[in-house]
Amino acid sequence: MQLSDFARELPDDVWAIFEPLLPPVHWCGNGRKPATNRACLHGLIYVLISGIAWDFVPACFPCGKTIQSRLKRWLALECFHTAWQQLAQRYERLRGINWDKILLDGSKKPAKKGGEDTGPSPVDRSKLGSNIHLATDEYGMPLGVVVTKAGANDGVQTQDLLEAMVLQPPAPEVANPTPDPRDLPHAHADGAYGNKPTEQRAAAAGFRMQAPKRGQKRKSGVGNVRSAVERGHAFLAQFGRIVRRFDRQVRRFVGWLQLAAALIFIRAEANGCLEAAA
């Protein structure tokens, strides 16, 4: 299944996932009937994938203002976060998650209109941008995301990112008052995370950080492990509303990321990735 399939027509099985999470639309009997949730969700997914401006939403969808109004309501109810969490739980049941291979990395995106949590990007001639801090499993499936200014240090966001994951490692069967740090699940990252404060932030979130220290020689085979989080960023970069940030409100931008993450899980299952691993 390709992203274009979602944009052309919203599949029934995809609508079945979101329908219970979206509040019903009531009509009082006066005036024109409101647009259905399904039509608004389909238009929203079309905008997310294509990156098109609200004023240019095709006439086959509800108007851009209607979709934005419905989006604002859904974000307030955390509908997309709930969908992402439920799909990640299903993924864990079908494929499993190796909690010793959680991967962290950041990716800077331009923010043409500025807004909350934007700042000069060190990789784009100091133009305004945002940094997407992503946590994935060993296959690049998104498990957590945090948005900051483009110049924010990746390591500083470690604890927030690990705690923001929609799934957390299972608790030990027997509680240990003095747990061994070596027994904690491992989080892997690049040299930006290889310092003592970042290790402490990871430990506060219940993880043991594995990252090269400054001046330390890179171990062989690390690139094969680290490539998964780059794949996760590549998944997100396929969505037009994410590869370039147009929303001034960071809450709405995070909502796009949550919806995109849910679609990534749906597409992985539709393409048979889970069955092949099982």
Side-chain angles (χ1 to χ4, degrees), residues 15 17-24 37 41 44 69-87 166 251 254-263 266:
W15 170 240
I17 295 173
F18 289 95
E19 183 180 13
L21 306 177
L22 304 180
N37 278 340
L41 178 64
L44 196 65
S69 176
R70 209 68 60 90
L71 171 62
K72 182 177 180 181
R73 183 182 182 190
W74 293 343
L75 290 179
L77 297 176
E78 297 285 349
C79 296
F80 298 145
H81 182 273
T82 303
W84 178 16
Q85 186 174 49
Q86 292 179 355
L87 290 164
V166 292
R251 180 66 191 88
V254 172
W256 289 124
L257 289 164
Q258 293 170 347
L259 179 56
L263 295 179
I266 293 172

Side-chain angles (χ1 to χ4, degrees), residues 91 103 134 136-142 228-229 231-233 235 264:
Y91 173 84
L103 306 166
L134 181 66
T136 73
D137 72 344
E138 59 181 323
Y139 299 105
M141 302 302 289
V229 68
R231 190 183 310 126
H233 278 295
F235 289 155
I264 290 171

